[in-house]
Amino acid sequence: IGVEAIDKKFHFMSDDEVKFKAMLNYNLQQELKSIIKNLNGTIQLKDKRFIYKMRSEWFNQKKWDELDRVLKFMMIIARETKI
């Protein structure tokens, strides 16, 4: 997407690259950068539903807090893109 911190960490796939780049505006890019260390899986949008698949065998409070930050990010995407 042209933002080094994000491009190094994430692999984005979209059927419509132009639309995707427009969707991932500055505010969403900042939110994404703020949760980079909390992500431990993949975020997918399929049939207008978000899916977060994470790699973890156990949960402690830290893992729940990380999951909470990721879910909040997904809610921001849904609100800003009107999904």
Side-chain angles (χ1 to χ4, degrees), residues 5-46:
I6 294 173
D7 289 344
K8 283 184 174 182
K9 178 75 177 178
F10 300 101
H11 175 76
F12 297 102
M13 296 182 340
S14 175
D15 292 336
D16 187 338
E17 188 173 332
V18 172
K19 185 176 179 180
F20 176 80
K21 285 183 178 181
M23 178 203 70
L24 201 58
N25 61 33
Y26 179 79
N27 291 337
L28 289 178
Q29 291 174 20
Q30 296 309 307
E31 290 291 334
L32 183 56
K33 284 197 272 186
S34 77
I35 66 164
I36 283 177
K37 66 181 180 180
N38 301 111
L39 289 170
N40 187 27
T42 61
I43 297 174
Q44 299 173 329
L45 174 61
K46 188 173 186 175

